[in-house]
Amino acid sequence: MARMESILRISICITLLLARSLHVVTSLSSPPTSSRRSVLRDQLLPMMGFTGATAIVCTASAPSRAAETTLPTLPFTRTTTMLANPTATTTVLAKPTAIIPNGVIWRTVDGQGLPATPSSLAKIMQTDILQQAGGVSSGIMCISERHDDFEHHKVQLKVLMTMKKVLAEQQRSSSSSQNNVSEQLSIGMEMFQRQHQKYLDQFIAKSDYGIGDLKRDTNWDVTWGYDILHYLPLLLFAKKFGIRILGLHPSDELVEQAEREGLSNLLAASVIDEVCTTDLEHAEDFRRLAMQRLSLTDYGCQEAMDAAIWREYEVKCFREDYMAETAAMQMARRPDGWIAILAGEQHILRRNGIPLRALRRSSRKSSSVTASPSRSRGVFTIVPKTISFPIAAKDAPGIESADYVWYVQRDPSTEFREDKVNNAPYRPNGIDIYLPPGGKDE
């Protein structure tokens, strides 16, 4: 029932680049002499208002001054207006004469392509998601990613920035006793484990505990492994505004136990109360993807291959229910708050991974806590997609996939390969900027 209610909800959304120009001095070094632009320095850190000195160490040349940037308006033509028939072959976007900096939001419930401008995104957040009128709201926002696609992390940051801004406006206009949006907003990250929580709390609370410390103490290269610079702007945003980060994922040891033994011992040991493996659509989606990468010759017979796929599926469901439980525990602690969940696309697409599991678990926990004056808005999903415009309406997904699909173009100054794991686009003179001596960020 929760799934059907979620699908029927007219939702979603999101987010935003700042609505005004920013002029910031950063302590990041000049980019390499190549033509590649520093996306981190020139776009994301200035957008967040960072000087860079609080969490980034530079090993090269003197500090540079970020240019004052006016965020351009998306160059739409008349062919970008609402498409009444989502199956039509008309393109959503006519190819613009300039790069589209913010992208296009595809609202799946009614098949509309919306410009991802600050004003339109803020309005969607206010009216469709957080619903500012009538007091403080609560709920779950899930934003997916390809882990090594920096464009997706830029979308996630814009979502978080918009949520913070609108929640602050919501608090000011209501009779809520809350006066700090950091108490209402939290960020759940698949990239960190639940057992890492003490380090994440230190990172937010302590000015002398930086990215290098967090990377070292969580054993990032082993427990996650993707370039931490992909997540640097998100982490610095949370640190700057004191927004709690939650480690969602189970430990490597628990995942390995599930891989070896299945779910029975984990359930018997009360590691988790239940794991849902009965969603046929979810299971079939997983099997279809597994069949694309597995070969029958590796298993000898179909039965052995099916058994291996099922065990992998059990592990996936365990991970998703565990992450959903972590999010639900935070919602129980802050029933008047919002949690933004950042996780891989296959955990969020179609909602039957983390989103509906988190909604189901948080709904059960909400019945056991004191009633909150906030209004629960349920769960919302946003799926970023990196494409080349134009895109045909017939190729855009429906509401069964997500509430919103955010189409973005790749920054032409960055290098990206679909067939490999990509680092974040910023590498000053080829030197990592997050590992200063002693692990401290100077």
PDB file of all heavy atoms in Angstrom, residues 350-372:
ATOM      1  N   ARG A 350      12.919   3.263  -9.408  1.00  0.00           N
ATOM      2  CA  ARG A 350      11.670   2.502  -9.274  1.00  0.00           C
ATOM      3  C   ARG A 350      11.179   2.412  -7.824  1.00  0.00           C
ATOM      4  O   ARG A 350      10.154   1.782  -7.556  1.00  0.00           O
ATOM      5  CB  ARG A 350      11.796   1.107  -9.890  1.00  0.00           C
ATOM      6  CG  ARG A 350      12.166   1.131 -11.368  1.00  0.00           C
ATOM      7  CD  ARG A 350      12.310  -0.266 -11.932  1.00  0.00           C
ATOM      8  NE  ARG A 350      11.006  -0.893 -12.107  1.00  0.00           N
ATOM      9  CZ  ARG A 350      10.245  -0.750 -13.187  1.00  0.00           C
ATOM     10  NH1 ARG A 350      10.631   0.018 -14.196  1.00  0.00           N
ATOM     11  NH2 ARG A 350       9.084  -1.364 -13.270  1.00  0.00           N
ATOM     12  N   ARG A 351      11.921   2.997  -6.884  1.00  0.00           N
ATOM     13  CA  ARG A 351      11.494   3.194  -5.486  1.00  0.00           C
ATOM     14  C   ARG A 351      11.511   1.941  -4.614  1.00  0.00           C
ATOM     15  O   ARG A 351      11.383   2.042  -3.403  1.00  0.00           O
ATOM     16  CB  ARG A 351      10.092   3.810  -5.412  1.00  0.00           C
ATOM     17  CG  ARG A 351       9.917   5.132  -6.130  1.00  0.00           C
ATOM     18  CD  ARG A 351       8.508   5.659  -5.946  1.00  0.00           C
ATOM     19  NE  ARG A 351       8.273   6.866  -6.716  1.00  0.00           N
ATOM     20  CZ  ARG A 351       7.921   6.881  -7.994  1.00  0.00           C
ATOM     21  NH1 ARG A 351       7.763   5.725  -8.648  1.00  0.00           N
ATOM     22  NH2 ARG A 351       7.733   8.012  -8.632  1.00  0.00           N
ATOM     23  N   ASN A 352      11.608   0.751  -5.195  1.00  0.00           N
ATOM     24  CA  ASN A 352      11.438  -0.446  -4.380  1.00  0.00           C
ATOM     25  C   ASN A 352      12.721  -0.927  -3.717  1.00  0.00           C
ATOM     26  O   ASN A 352      12.743  -2.001  -3.121  1.00  0.00           O
ATOM     27  CB  ASN A 352      10.809  -1.582  -5.196  1.00  0.00           C
ATOM     28  CG  ASN A 352      11.443  -1.743  -6.568  1.00  0.00           C
ATOM     29  OD1 ASN A 352      12.526  -1.227  -6.826  1.00  0.00           O
ATOM     30  ND2 ASN A 352      10.753  -2.448  -7.454  1.00  0.00           N
ATOM     31  N   GLY A 353      13.783  -0.118  -3.816  1.00  0.00           N
ATOM     32  CA  GLY A 353      14.990  -0.382  -3.059  1.00  0.00           C
ATOM     33  C   GLY A 353      14.921   0.345  -1.726  1.00  0.00           C
ATOM     34  O   GLY A 353      14.120   0.013  -0.847  1.00  0.00           O
ATOM     35  N   ILE A 354      15.744   1.366  -1.563  1.00  0.00           N
ATOM     36  CA  ILE A 354      15.762   2.115  -0.304  1.00  0.00           C
ATOM     37  C   ILE A 354      14.492   2.931  -0.069  1.00  0.00           C
ATOM     38  O   ILE A 354      13.964   2.940   1.058  1.00  0.00           O
ATOM     39  CB  ILE A 354      17.001   3.030  -0.238  1.00  0.00           C
ATOM     40  CG1 ILE A 354      18.284   2.190  -0.227  1.00  0.00           C
ATOM     41  CG2 ILE A 354      16.954   3.911   1.002  1.00  0.00           C
ATOM     42  CD1 ILE A 354      19.554   3.015  -0.288  1.00  0.00           C
ATOM     43  N   PRO A 355      13.946   3.658  -1.058  1.00  0.00           N
ATOM     44  CA  PRO A 355      12.860   4.606  -0.757  1.00  0.00           C
ATOM     45  C   PRO A 355      11.667   3.991  -0.041  1.00  0.00           C
ATOM     46  O   PRO A 355      11.268   4.466   1.037  1.00  0.00           O
ATOM     47  CB  PRO A 355      12.482   5.153  -2.143  1.00  0.00           C
ATOM     48  CG  PRO A 355      13.735   5.049  -2.940  1.00  0.00           C
ATOM     49  CD  PRO A 355      14.373   3.771  -2.483  1.00  0.00           C
ATOM     50  N   LEU A 356      11.066   2.965  -0.608  1.00  0.00           N
ATOM     51  CA  LEU A 356       9.860   2.408   0.009  1.00  0.00           C
ATOM     52  C   LEU A 356      10.172   1.628   1.276  1.00  0.00           C
ATOM     53  O   LEU A 356       9.351   1.570   2.204  1.00  0.00           O
ATOM     54  CB  LEU A 356       9.121   1.534  -0.997  1.00  0.00           C
ATOM     55  CG  LEU A 356       8.525   2.292  -2.185  1.00  0.00           C
ATOM     56  CD1 LEU A 356       7.796   1.343  -3.120  1.00  0.00           C
ATOM     57  CD2 LEU A 356       7.583   3.386  -1.713  1.00  0.00           C
ATOM     58  N   ARG A 357      11.353   1.037   1.345  1.00  0.00           N
ATOM     59  CA  ARG A 357      11.750   0.353   2.573  1.00  0.00           C
ATOM     60  C   ARG A 357      11.926   1.364   3.710  1.00  0.00           C
ATOM     61  O   ARG A 357      11.511   1.113   4.853  1.00  0.00           O
ATOM     62  CB  ARG A 357      13.041  -0.442   2.338  1.00  0.00           C
ATOM     63  CG  ARG A 357      12.871  -1.606   1.358  1.00  0.00           C
ATOM     64  CD  ARG A 357      14.220  -2.178   0.916  1.00  0.00           C
ATOM     65  NE  ARG A 357      14.059  -3.028  -0.255  1.00  0.00           N
ATOM     66  CZ  ARG A 357      14.124  -4.351  -0.244  1.00  0.00           C
ATOM     67  NH1 ARG A 357      14.353  -5.002   0.898  1.00  0.00           N
ATOM     68  NH2 ARG A 357      13.965  -5.050  -1.356  1.00  0.00           N
ATOM     69  N   ALA A 358      12.538   2.500   3.400  1.00  0.00           N
ATOM     70  CA  ALA A 358      12.711   3.540   4.422  1.00  0.00           C
ATOM     71  C   ALA A 358      11.359   4.111   4.840  1.00  0.00           C
ATOM     72  O   ALA A 358      11.124   4.368   6.030  1.00  0.00           O
ATOM     73  CB  ALA A 358      13.622   4.640   3.890  1.00  0.00           C
ATOM     74  N   LEU A 359      10.473   4.316   3.878  1.00  0.00           N
ATOM     75  CA  LEU A 359       9.149   4.845   4.201  1.00  0.00           C
ATOM     76  C   LEU A 359       8.378   3.865   5.083  1.00  0.00           C
ATOM     77  O   LEU A 359       7.752   4.260   6.078  1.00  0.00           O
ATOM     78  CB  LEU A 359       8.371   5.119   2.917  1.00  0.00           C
ATOM     79  CG  LEU A 359       6.959   5.677   3.093  1.00  0.00           C
ATOM     80  CD1 LEU A 359       6.993   7.035   3.780  1.00  0.00           C
ATOM     81  CD2 LEU A 359       6.255   5.778   1.739  1.00  0.00           C
ATOM     82  N   ARG A 360       8.415   2.594   4.719  1.00  0.00           N
ATOM     83  CA  ARG A 360       7.710   1.582   5.495  1.00  0.00           C
ATOM     84  C   ARG A 360       8.247   1.500   6.927  1.00  0.00           C
ATOM     85  O   ARG A 360       7.480   1.473   7.903  1.00  0.00           O
ATOM     86  CB  ARG A 360       7.841   0.232   4.793  1.00  0.00           C
ATOM     87  CG  ARG A 360       7.115  -0.920   5.478  1.00  0.00           C
ATOM     88  CD  ARG A 360       7.040  -2.132   4.561  1.00  0.00           C
ATOM     89  NE  ARG A 360       8.344  -2.606   4.134  1.00  0.00           N
ATOM     90  CZ  ARG A 360       8.786  -2.546   2.882  1.00  0.00           C
ATOM     91  NH1 ARG A 360       8.040  -2.020   1.928  1.00  0.00           N
ATOM     92  NH2 ARG A 360       9.992  -3.016   2.573  1.00  0.00           N
ATOM     93  N   ARG A 361       9.551   1.498   7.078  1.00  0.00           N
ATOM     94  CA  ARG A 361      10.153   1.382   8.395  1.00  0.00           C
ATOM     95  C   ARG A 361       9.925   2.648   9.231  1.00  0.00           C
ATOM     96  O   ARG A 361       9.641   2.563  10.430  1.00  0.00           O
ATOM     97  CB  ARG A 361      11.651   1.099   8.262  1.00  0.00           C
ATOM     98  CG  ARG A 361      11.944  -0.320   7.786  1.00  0.00           C
ATOM     99  CD  ARG A 361      13.436  -0.558   7.565  1.00  0.00           C
ATOM    100  NE  ARG A 361      13.695  -1.962   7.257  1.00  0.00           N
ATOM    101  CZ  ARG A 361      13.889  -2.908   8.158  1.00  0.00           C
ATOM    102  NH1 ARG A 361      13.848  -2.601   9.458  1.00  0.00           N
ATOM    103  NH2 ARG A 361      14.125  -4.155   7.799  1.00  0.00           N
ATOM    104  N   SER A 362      10.058   3.815   8.620  1.00  0.00           N
ATOM    105  CA  SER A 362       9.841   5.053   9.376  1.00  0.00           C
ATOM    106  C   SER A 362       8.377   5.209   9.771  1.00  0.00           C
ATOM    107  O   SER A 362       8.069   5.740  10.842  1.00  0.00           O
ATOM    108  CB  SER A 362      10.309   6.266   8.567  1.00  0.00           C
ATOM    109  OG  SER A 362       9.562   6.401   7.364  1.00  0.00           O
ATOM    110  N   SER A 363       7.462   4.722   8.931  1.00  0.00           N
ATOM    111  CA  SER A 363       6.039   4.794   9.269  1.00  0.00           C
ATOM    112  C   SER A 363       5.731   3.921  10.487  1.00  0.00           C
ATOM    113  O   SER A 363       4.960   4.316  11.367  1.00  0.00           O
ATOM    114  CB  SER A 363       5.189   4.342   8.083  1.00  0.00           C
ATOM    115  OG  SER A 363       5.371   5.192   6.972  1.00  0.00           O
ATOM    116  N   ARG A 364       6.357   2.748  10.544  1.00  0.00           N
ATOM    117  CA  ARG A 364       6.157   1.881  11.708  1.00  0.00           C
ATOM    118  C   ARG A 364       6.716   2.519  12.974  1.00  0.00           C
ATOM    119  O   ARG A 364       6.099   2.474  14.033  1.00  0.00           O
ATOM    120  CB  ARG A 364       6.814   0.528  11.481  1.00  0.00           C
ATOM    121  CG  ARG A 364       6.085  -0.370  10.499  1.00  0.00           C
ATOM    122  CD  ARG A 364       6.420  -1.827  10.743  1.00  0.00           C
ATOM    123  NE  ARG A 364       7.853  -2.096  10.621  1.00  0.00           N
ATOM    124  CZ  ARG A 364       8.405  -2.640   9.541  1.00  0.00           C
ATOM    125  NH1 ARG A 364       7.659  -2.946   8.491  1.00  0.00           N
ATOM    126  NH2 ARG A 364       9.698  -2.882   9.504  1.00  0.00           N
ATOM    127  N   LYS A 365       7.883   3.122  12.876  1.00  0.00           N
ATOM    128  CA  LYS A 365       8.497   3.735  14.053  1.00  0.00           C
ATOM    129  C   LYS A 365       7.742   4.973  14.504  1.00  0.00           C
ATOM    130  O   LYS A 365       7.697   5.283  15.697  1.00  0.00           O
ATOM    131  CB  LYS A 365       9.958   4.094  13.752  1.00  0.00           C
ATOM    132  CG  LYS A 365      10.868   2.892  13.588  1.00  0.00           C
ATOM    133  CD  LYS A 365      12.295   3.325  13.326  1.00  0.00           C
ATOM    134  CE  LYS A 365      13.190   2.134  13.041  1.00  0.00           C
ATOM    135  NZ  LYS A 365      13.278   1.199  14.184  1.00  0.00           N
ATOM    136  N   SER A 366       7.122   5.690  13.558  1.00  0.00           N
ATOM    137  CA  SER A 366       6.421   6.926  13.924  1.00  0.00           C
ATOM    138  C   SER A 366       5.227   6.657  14.822  1.00  0.00           C
ATOM    139  O   SER A 366       4.801   7.517  15.587  1.00  0.00           O
ATOM    140  CB  SER A 366       5.965   7.666  12.670  1.00  0.00           C
ATOM    141  OG  SER A 366       4.975   6.928  11.973  1.00  0.00           O
ATOM    142  N   SER A 367       4.671   5.450  14.756  1.00  0.00           N
ATOM    143  CA  SER A 367       3.529   5.124  15.601  1.00  0.00           C
ATOM    144  C   SER A 367       3.922   4.905  17.047  1.00  0.00           C
ATOM    145  O   SER A 367       3.071   4.890  17.940  1.00  0.00           O
ATOM    146  CB  SER A 367       2.834   3.864  15.073  1.00  0.00           C
ATOM    147  OG  SER A 367       3.707   2.748  15.136  1.00  0.00           O
ATOM    148  N   SER A 368       5.246   4.747  17.290  1.00  0.00           N
ATOM    149  CA  SER A 368       5.708   4.480  18.649  1.00  0.00           C
ATOM    150  C   SER A 368       6.357   5.677  19.309  1.00  0.00           C
ATOM    151  O   SER A 368       6.854   5.580  20.425  1.00  0.00           O
ATOM    152  CB  SER A 368       6.714   3.316  18.637  1.00  0.00           C
ATOM    153  OG  SER A 368       7.846   3.656  17.852  1.00  0.00           O
ATOM    154  N   VAL A 369       6.369   6.827  18.601  1.00  0.00           N
ATOM    155  CA  VAL A 369       6.956   8.028  19.185  1.00  0.00           C
ATOM    156  C   VAL A 369       5.874   9.075  19.365  1.00  0.00           C
ATOM    157  O   VAL A 369       4.775   8.973  18.827  1.00  0.00           O
ATOM    158  CB  VAL A 369       8.077   8.596  18.277  1.00  0.00           C
ATOM    159  CG1 VAL A 369       9.184   7.570  18.113  1.00  0.00           C
ATOM    160  CG2 VAL A 369       7.534   9.005  16.913  1.00  0.00           C
ATOM    161  N   THR A 370       6.198  10.083  20.149  1.00  0.00           N
ATOM    162  CA  THR A 370       5.240  11.159  20.407  1.00  0.00           C
ATOM    163  C   THR A 370       4.870  11.849  19.106  1.00  0.00           C
ATOM    164  O   THR A 370       5.722  12.104  18.258  1.00  0.00           O
ATOM    165  CB  THR A 370       5.868  12.185  21.372  1.00  0.00           C
ATOM    166  OG1 THR A 370       6.255  11.493  22.557  1.00  0.00           O
ATOM    167  CG2 THR A 370       4.869  13.274  21.707  1.00  0.00           C
ATOM    168  N   ALA A 371       3.611  12.117  18.956  1.00  0.00           N
ATOM    169  CA  ALA A 371       3.143  12.764  17.728  1.00  0.00           C
ATOM    170  C   ALA A 371       3.876  14.075  17.497  1.00  0.00           C
ATOM    171  O   ALA A 371       4.092  14.859  18.414  1.00  0.00           O
ATOM    172  CB  ALA A 371       1.641  13.008  17.817  1.00  0.00           C
ATOM    173  N   SER A 372       4.280  14.301  16.259  1.00  0.00           N
ATOM    174  CA  SER A 372       5.012  15.515  15.904  1.00  0.00           C
ATOM    175  C   SER A 372       4.063  16.503  15.246  1.00  0.00           C
ATOM    176  O   SER A 372       3.134  16.120  14.534  1.00  0.00           O
ATOM    177  CB  SER A 372       6.145  15.166  14.936  1.00  0.00           C
ATOM    178  OG  SER A 372       6.712  16.334  14.388  1.00  0.00           O
TER     179      SER A 372
END
